[in-house]
Protein backbone atom coordinates (compact mmCIF):
# COMPACT_ATOMS: atom_id res chain seq x y z
CA UNK A 1 0.00 0.00 0.00
CA UNK A 2 1.34 3.41 -0.93
CA UNK A 3 2.09 5.92 1.82
CA UNK A 4 1.75 9.66 2.05
CA UNK A 5 5.03 11.53 2.41
CA UNK A 6 4.36 12.22 6.07
CA UNK A 7 3.54 8.57 6.73
CA UNK A 8 6.66 7.45 4.84
CA UNK A 9 8.97 9.78 6.76
CA UNK A 10 7.42 8.89 10.11
CA UNK A 11 7.90 5.18 9.39
CA UNK A 12 11.48 5.72 8.17
CA UNK A 13 12.34 7.67 11.32
CA UNK A 14 10.99 4.83 13.47
CA UNK A 15 12.75 2.16 11.40
CA UNK A 16 9.48 0.60 10.25
CA UNK A 17 8.78 -0.79 6.76
CA UNK A 18 8.11 1.79 4.05
CA UNK A 19 6.55 1.50 0.61
CA UNK A 20 9.77 2.99 -0.77
CA UNK A 21 12.76 4.82 0.73
CA UNK A 22 12.30 8.59 1.05
CA UNK A 23 14.42 10.83 -1.16
CA UNK A 24 15.18 14.55 -0.96
CA UNK A 25 17.68 17.04 -2.34
CA UNK A 26 18.00 20.72 -1.51
CA UNK A 27 19.94 23.55 -3.10
CA UNK A 28 20.68 27.24 -2.78
CA UNK A 29 18.91 29.79 -4.97
CA UNK A 30 21.48 32.59 -5.23
CA UNK A 31 20.20 36.13 -5.84
CA UNK A 32 16.63 34.80 -5.45
CA UNK A 33 17.48 34.26 -1.77
CA UNK A 34 17.69 38.02 -1.27
CA UNK A 35 13.94 38.43 -1.90
CA UNK A 36 11.29 36.50 0.08
CA UNK A 37 8.86 36.09 -2.82
CA UNK A 38 11.49 35.03 -5.34
CA UNK A 39 13.02 32.54 -2.90
CA UNK A 40 9.62 31.03 -2.12
CA UNK A 41 8.79 30.71 -5.82
CA UNK A 42 12.13 29.04 -6.57
CA UNK A 43 11.89 26.57 -3.68
CA UNK A 44 8.34 25.67 -4.72
CA UNK A 45 9.35 25.27 -8.38
CA UNK A 46 12.20 22.92 -7.42
CA UNK A 47 9.76 20.84 -5.39
CA UNK A 48 7.18 20.84 -8.17
CA UNK A 49 9.74 19.62 -10.70
CA UNK A 50 11.19 16.75 -8.64
CA UNK A 51 8.57 15.83 -6.01
CA UNK A 52 10.84 15.27 -2.97
CA UNK A 53 9.57 13.66 0.22
CA UNK A 54 10.29 16.83 2.19
CA UNK A 55 11.34 20.37 1.35
CA UNK A 56 14.43 21.75 3.03
CA UNK A 57 14.10 25.54 2.77
CA UNK A 58 17.59 26.83 1.90
CA UNK A 59 18.25 30.54 2.38
CA UNK A 60 21.51 32.44 2.24
CA UNK A 61 23.44 31.80 5.47
CA UNK A 62 23.33 35.55 6.05
CA UNK A 63 19.58 35.62 6.76
CA UNK A 64 20.10 35.11 10.49
CA UNK A 65 22.99 37.59 10.90
CA UNK A 66 22.01 40.46 8.61
CA UNK A 67 20.20 42.27 11.42
CA UNK A 68 23.49 42.36 13.32
CA UNK A 69 25.26 43.97 10.34
CA UNK A 70 26.42 41.22 7.97
CA UNK A 71 26.19 41.79 4.22
CA UNK A 72 26.76 39.31 1.37
CA UNK A 73 27.25 39.33 -2.40
CA UNK A 74 26.82 36.39 -4.78
CA UNK A 75 29.90 35.85 -6.95
CA UNK A 76 29.10 32.64 -8.78
CA UNK A 77 30.04 29.94 -6.27
CA UNK A 78 28.92 26.55 -7.56
CA UNK A 79 27.18 25.68 -4.29
CA UNK A 80 25.11 28.85 -4.62
CA UNK A 81 26.60 30.40 -1.50
CA UNK A 82 27.41 34.10 -1.24
CA UNK A 83 30.53 35.92 -0.02
CA UNK A 84 30.48 38.06 3.12
CA UNK A 85 31.52 41.65 2.38
CA UNK A 86 30.65 43.24 5.74
CA UNK A 87 30.79 41.81 9.25
CA UNK A 88 29.98 43.54 12.54
CA UNK A 89 32.70 41.95 14.70
CA UNK A 90 36.41 42.61 14.29
CA UNK A 91 37.77 42.94 17.86
CA UNK A 92 36.70 41.10 21.03
CA UNK A 93 34.77 44.07 22.43
CA UNK A 94 32.48 43.99 19.38
CA UNK A 95 30.86 40.80 20.63
CA UNK A 96 29.21 42.88 23.36
CA UNK A 97 27.17 44.66 20.69
CA UNK A 98 25.46 41.40 19.66
CA UNK A 99 22.15 41.61 21.50
CA UNK A 100 18.94 39.55 21.11
CA UNK A 101 16.80 40.26 18.04
CA UNK A 102 13.08 40.26 17.34
CA UNK A 103 12.53 37.28 14.98
CA UNK A 104 9.47 38.91 13.42
CA UNK A 105 11.27 42.08 12.31
CA UNK A 106 13.70 43.06 9.55
CA UNK A 107 15.64 40.25 7.85
CA UNK A 108 14.39 37.52 10.19
CA UNK A 109 10.84 38.71 9.68
CA UNK A 110 11.30 38.66 5.90
CA UNK A 111 12.49 35.08 6.22
CA UNK A 112 9.28 34.14 8.02
CA UNK A 113 7.35 35.69 5.13
CA UNK A 114 9.28 33.49 2.67
CA UNK A 115 8.61 30.35 4.72
CA UNK A 116 4.92 31.18 5.02
CA UNK A 117 4.68 31.78 1.27
CA UNK A 118 6.47 28.50 0.49
CA UNK A 119 4.13 26.59 2.79
CA UNK A 120 1.19 28.02 0.83
CA UNK A 121 2.72 27.06 -2.52
CA UNK A 122 3.68 23.43 -1.90
CA UNK A 123 1.53 20.34 -1.30
CA UNK A 124 0.26 20.21 2.31
CA UNK A 125 1.47 16.60 2.54
CA UNK A 126 5.09 17.69 2.01
CA UNK A 127 6.89 18.49 5.28
CA UNK A 128 8.75 21.80 5.20
CA UNK A 129 11.99 22.19 7.16
CA UNK A 130 13.37 25.64 7.98
CA UNK A 131 17.14 26.08 8.10
CA UNK A 132 18.56 27.03 11.50
CA UNK A 133 22.28 27.60 12.06
CA UNK A 134 23.91 26.69 15.35
CA UNK A 135 25.08 29.63 17.48
CA UNK A 136 28.77 29.01 16.82
CA UNK A 137 28.03 28.78 13.07
CA UNK A 138 26.39 32.20 13.27
CA UNK A 139 29.33 33.57 15.28
CA UNK A 140 31.67 32.32 12.53
CA UNK A 141 29.83 34.48 10.01
CA UNK A 142 29.74 37.51 12.31
CA UNK A 143 33.54 37.74 12.40
CA UNK A 144 35.04 35.53 9.65
CA UNK A 145 38.57 34.24 9.22
CA UNK A 146 38.23 31.57 11.89
CA UNK A 147 38.51 34.26 14.56
CA UNK A 148 35.45 32.96 16.39
CA UNK A 149 37.57 30.03 17.59
CA UNK A 150 40.51 32.28 18.43
CA UNK A 151 38.22 34.44 20.56
CA UNK A 152 36.68 31.34 22.13
CA UNK A 153 40.17 30.46 23.35
CA UNK A 154 41.52 33.92 24.20
CA UNK A 155 38.49 36.15 24.83
CA UNK A 156 35.88 33.63 25.91
CA UNK A 157 33.78 35.89 28.12
CA UNK A 158 33.19 38.34 25.26
CA UNK A 159 32.20 35.57 22.86
CA UNK A 160 30.00 33.82 25.45
CA UNK A 161 27.89 36.95 25.86
CA UNK A 162 27.31 37.03 22.10
CA UNK A 163 26.57 33.31 21.94
CA UNK A 164 23.92 33.75 24.61
CA UNK A 165 22.25 36.52 22.58
CA UNK A 166 22.46 34.40 19.44
CA UNK A 167 20.93 31.42 21.24
CA UNK A 168 18.06 33.49 22.64
CA UNK A 169 17.38 34.90 19.18
CA UNK A 170 17.55 31.47 17.57
CA UNK A 171 15.10 29.97 20.04
CA UNK A 172 12.67 32.81 19.36
CA UNK A 173 13.11 32.30 15.63
CA UNK A 174 12.52 28.53 15.90
CA UNK A 175 9.30 29.14 17.80
CA UNK A 176 8.18 31.73 15.24
CA UNK A 177 9.04 29.69 12.16
CA UNK A 178 7.24 26.59 13.46
CA UNK A 179 4.22 28.75 14.17
CA UNK A 180 4.51 30.27 10.68
CA UNK A 181 4.17 26.95 8.88
CA UNK A 182 7.42 25.00 9.00
CA UNK A 183 7.04 21.38 10.11
CA UNK A 184 10.51 21.14 11.57
CA UNK A 185 14.06 22.43 11.33
CA UNK A 186 17.26 21.59 9.51
CA UNK A 187 19.89 22.30 12.16
CA UNK A 188 23.23 23.15 10.53
CA UNK A 189 26.31 22.44 12.67
CA UNK A 190 29.23 24.01 10.80
CA UNK A 191 31.95 24.10 13.48
CA UNK A 192 31.63 20.64 15.03
CA UNK A 193 34.78 19.37 13.36
CA UNK A 194 38.31 18.50 14.51
CA UNK A 195 40.10 20.83 12.08
CA UNK A 196 38.35 23.79 13.74
CA UNK A 197 37.74 23.07 17.43
CA UNK A 198 38.62 20.41 19.99
CA UNK A 199 35.95 17.95 21.03
CA UNK A 200 36.25 19.14 24.64
CA UNK A 201 35.74 22.77 23.59
CA UNK A 202 32.70 21.92 21.52
CA UNK A 203 31.14 19.87 24.28
CA UNK A 204 31.80 22.54 26.91
CA UNK A 205 30.81 25.68 24.98
CA UNK A 206 28.67 24.75 21.99
CA UNK A 207 26.79 21.59 22.89
CA UNK A 208 24.70 23.14 25.71
CA UNK A 209 23.52 25.89 23.34
CA UNK A 210 22.64 23.35 20.63
CA UNK A 211 20.64 21.30 23.12
CA UNK A 212 18.69 24.35 24.32
CA UNK A 213 17.66 25.14 20.75
CA UNK A 214 16.72 21.56 19.89
CA UNK A 215 14.71 21.17 23.08
CA UNK A 216 12.93 24.43 22.27
CA UNK A 217 12.09 23.04 18.82
CA UNK A 218 10.62 19.90 20.39
CA UNK A 219 8.58 21.98 22.83
CA UNK A 220 7.29 24.28 20.09
CA UNK A 221 6.30 21.31 17.93
CA UNK A 222 4.46 19.70 20.84
CA UNK A 223 2.65 22.94 21.63
CA UNK A 224 1.32 23.03 18.08
CA UNK A 225 0.44 19.34 17.94
CA UNK A 226 3.12 18.57 15.35
CA UNK A 227 5.35 15.52 15.15
CA UNK A 228 8.88 16.79 15.92
CA UNK A 229 11.11 16.69 12.85
CA UNK A 230 14.68 17.84 13.39
CA UNK A 231 17.22 17.01 10.71
CA UNK A 232 20.78 17.62 11.88
CA UNK A 233 23.43 18.49 9.32
CA UNK A 234 26.97 17.78 10.46
CA UNK A 235 29.23 19.84 8.20
CA UNK A 236 32.89 19.09 7.53
CA UNK A 237 35.34 16.33 6.71
CA UNK A 238 36.55 15.69 10.28
CA UNK A 239 33.30 16.04 12.19
CA UNK A 240 32.55 14.80 15.68
CA UNK A 241 29.85 12.37 14.62
CA UNK A 242 29.19 11.03 18.10
CA UNK A 243 28.37 14.50 19.45
CA UNK A 244 25.58 14.91 16.91
CA UNK A 245 24.48 11.29 17.33
CA UNK A 246 23.65 12.04 20.98
CA UNK A 247 21.39 14.98 20.14
CA UNK A 248 17.57 14.83 20.41
CA UNK A 249 16.82 14.71 16.70
CA UNK A 250 14.89 12.52 14.28
CA UNK A 251 17.37 12.52 11.37
CA UNK A 252 21.06 13.08 10.66
CA UNK A 253 22.85 14.13 7.47
CA UNK A 254 26.64 14.23 7.10
CA UNK A 255 29.30 13.80 4.41
CA UNK A 256 28.95 10.02 4.56
CA UNK A 257 30.63 9.37 1.19
CA UNK A 258 33.59 11.66 1.92
CA UNK A 259 34.40 10.85 5.53
CA UNK A 260 33.43 8.33 8.18
CA UNK A 261 31.20 6.76 9.15
CA UNK A 262 29.42 5.29 6.15
CA UNK A 263 25.63 5.29 6.10
CA UNK A 264 25.16 1.84 7.67
CA UNK A 265 27.70 2.47 10.42
CA UNK A 266 26.13 5.87 11.07
CA UNK A 267 22.78 4.15 11.53
CA UNK A 268 24.30 1.87 14.13
CA UNK A 269 25.48 4.91 16.10
CA UNK A 270 22.46 7.19 15.60
CA UNK A 271 18.96 5.92 16.45
CA UNK A 272 16.95 7.97 13.93
CA UNK A 273 16.81 8.23 10.14
CA UNK A 274 20.14 8.64 8.32
CA UNK A 275 20.15 10.90 5.28
CA UNK A 276 22.71 10.50 2.50
CA UNK A 277 24.17 7.85 0.21
CA UNK A 278 25.69 10.20 -2.38
CA UNK A 279 28.29 12.95 -2.25
CA UNK A 280 28.13 16.39 -3.83
CA UNK A 281 30.72 15.20 -6.34
CA UNK A 282 28.62 12.13 -7.19
CA UNK A 283 25.58 14.20 -8.12
CA UNK A 284 27.64 16.69 -10.16
CA UNK A 285 30.23 14.54 -11.91
CA UNK A 286 28.50 11.17 -12.11
CA UNK A 287 26.22 9.85 -14.83
CA UNK A 288 22.55 8.97 -14.27
CA UNK A 289 23.53 5.31 -14.29
CA UNK A 290 26.25 5.89 -11.68
CA UNK A 291 23.91 7.92 -9.50
CA UNK A 292 21.31 5.14 -9.52
CA UNK A 293 23.96 2.53 -8.80
CA UNK A 294 25.14 4.41 -5.70
CA UNK A 295 21.55 4.93 -4.59
CA UNK A 296 20.79 1.22 -4.88
CA UNK A 297 23.96 0.39 -2.94
CA UNK A 298 22.84 2.70 -0.13
CA UNK A 299 19.36 1.16 -0.08
CA UNK A 300 20.83 -2.34 0.03
CA UNK A 301 23.25 -1.43 2.83
CA UNK A 302 20.33 -0.16 4.90
CA UNK A 303 17.84 -2.84 3.93
CA UNK A 304 15.63 -0.03 2.66
CA UNK A 305 14.83 1.14 6.20
CA UNK A 306 15.63 4.09 8.45
CA UNK A 307 17.16 6.03 5.59
CA UNK A 308 16.50 8.87 3.15
CA UNK A 309 18.48 9.17 -0.06
CA UNK A 310 20.28 12.48 -0.48
CA UNK A 311 23.70 14.05 -0.82
CA UNK A 312 25.93 14.54 2.21
CA UNK A 313 25.64 18.31 1.90
CA UNK A 314 23.70 20.84 -0.18
CA UNK A 315 23.37 19.90 -3.86
CA UNK A 316 25.56 22.18 -6.00
CA UNK A 317 23.73 24.37 -8.49
CA UNK A 318 25.84 22.75 -11.24
CA UNK A 319 24.28 19.29 -10.80
CA UNK A 320 22.97 17.99 -14.15
CA UNK A 321 19.19 17.72 -14.29
CA UNK A 322 19.48 14.15 -15.59
CA UNK A 323 21.38 13.14 -12.45
CA UNK A 324 18.77 14.76 -10.24
CA UNK A 325 16.00 12.95 -12.10
CA UNK A 326 17.93 9.70 -11.86
CA UNK A 327 18.10 9.94 -8.09
CA UNK A 328 14.44 10.81 -7.79
CA UNK A 329 13.36 8.07 -10.21
CA UNK A 330 15.41 5.27 -8.62
CA UNK A 331 12.83 4.79 -5.83
CA UNK A 332 9.76 5.09 -8.06
CA UNK A 333 6.75 7.41 -7.74
Amino acid sequence: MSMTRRERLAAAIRGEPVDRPPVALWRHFPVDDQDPEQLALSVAAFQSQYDWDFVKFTPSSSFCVEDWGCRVVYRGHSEGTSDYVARPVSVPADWRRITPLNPRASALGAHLVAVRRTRALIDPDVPLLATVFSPISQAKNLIGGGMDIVHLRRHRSDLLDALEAITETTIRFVEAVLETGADGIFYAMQRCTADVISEAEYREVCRPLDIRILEAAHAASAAQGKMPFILLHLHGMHSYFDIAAEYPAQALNWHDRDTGPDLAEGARRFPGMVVGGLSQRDIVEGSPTAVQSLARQAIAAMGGRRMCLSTGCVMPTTAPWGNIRALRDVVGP
Side-chain angles (χ1 to χ4, degrees):
M1 180 182 295
S2 64
M3 294 175 152
T4 67
R5 295 175 187 82
R6 292 179 187 272
E7 290 170 343
R8 184 177 300 118
L9 286 165
I13 288 168
R14 294 191 297 262
E16 297 173 355
V18 290
D19 58 343
R20 63 163 178 80
V23 58
L25 289 175
W26 49 90
R27 53 158 290 176
H28 281 284
F29 298 95
V31 181
D32 295 350
D33 58 21
Q34 300 305 301
D35 178 87
E37 178 68 10
Q38 292 303 317
L39 179 55
L41 290 171
S42 294
V43 172
F46 186 61
Q47 174 62 17
S48 177
Q49 184 169 3
Y50 295 109
D51 190 29
W52 307 116
D53 282 293
F54 64 84
V55 168
K56 186 274 192 187
F57 189 87
T58 306
S60 168
S61 66
S62 65
F63 89 90
C64 52
V65 290
E66 287 177 15
D67 292 336
W68 283 308
C70 285
R71 296 291 179 269
V72 297
V73 174
Y74 178 61
R75 292 171 172 159
H77 196 286
S78 64
E79 283 193 6
T81 53
S82 296
D83 293 334
Y84 282 76
V85 295
R87 304 179 194 264
V89 179
S90 57
V91 298
D94 290 339
W95 290 116
R96 304 284 181 173
R97 297 191 290 108
I98 305 302
T99 56
L101 299 172
N102 178 358
R104 300 183 185 275
S106 302
L108 288 175
H111 191 76
L112 295 180
V113 169
V115 171
R116 184 182 299 111
R117 177 70 169 132
T118 303
R119 179 70 277 172
L121 289 170
I122 64 175
D123 188 325
D125 182 47
V126 179
L128 174 63
L129 301 185
T131 298
V132 174
F133 289 93
S134 70
I136 194 65
S137 301
Q138 295 181 54
K140 167 183 71 75
N141 291 331
L142 288 167
I143 189 169
M147 291 301 293
D148 56 310
I149 305 302
V150 174
H151 287 185
L152 181 147
R153 292 168 177 164
R154 304 192 65 180
H155 306 281
R156 182 169 294 193
S157 63
D158 295 302
L159 176 61
L160 288 181
D161 278 356
L163 288 174
E164 181 61 31
I166 293 168
T167 301
E168 289 182 28
T169 301
T170 304
I171 288 172
R172 294 175 188 174
F173 174 78
V174 166
E175 292 169 346
V177 79
L178 289 173
E179 181 182 329
T180 294
D183 295 281
I185 64 171
F186 177 97
Y187 192 71
M189 301 167 61
Q190 293 186 328
R191 306 302 263 168
C192 189
T193 180
D195 57 346
V196 171
I197 191 172
S198 74
E199 182 173 359
E201 288 170 329
Y202 198 94
R203 287 187 177 277
E204 178 184 357
V205 176
C206 306
R207 184 184 184 278
L209 306 180
D210 292 339
I211 295 297
R212 281 170 56 189
I213 293 167
L214 299 178
E215 289 179 344
H218 276 270
S221 294
Q224 295 168 39
K226 296 179 178 178
M227 181 189 80
F229 189 178
I230 297 171
L231 170 53
L232 303 176
H233 171 61
L234 195 54
H235 189 82
M237 295 298 106
H238 308 285
S239 56
Y240 297 119
F241 183 90
D242 288 335
I243 291 180
E246 298 167 358
Y247 281 11
Q250 286 67 47
L252 177 57
N253 170 245
W254 73 101
H255 299 258
D256 62 284
R257 288 265 299 152
D258 298 310
T259 185
D262 61 27
L263 209 61
E265 174 60 22
R268 284 188 282 272
R269 292 158 62 179
F270 173 72
M273 180 176 70
V274 292
V275 181
L278 285 87
S279 70
Q280 294 169 298
R281 182 173 178 175
D282 293 330
I283 201 72
V284 171
E285 299 182 10
S287 65
T289 299
V291 165
Q292 292 202 335
S293 176
L294 289 170
R296 292 189 180 102
Q297 289 175 33
I299 293 169
M302 293 296 300
R305 294 197 186 189
R306 207 154 60 83
M307 66 167 298
C308 174
L309 286 170
S310 190
T311 45
C313 193
V314 62
M315 183 194 81
T317 59
T318 50
W321 289 11
N323 286 355
I324 304 172
R325 285 192 294 267
L327 182 63
R328 177 60 188 85
D329 292 346
V330 75
V331 296

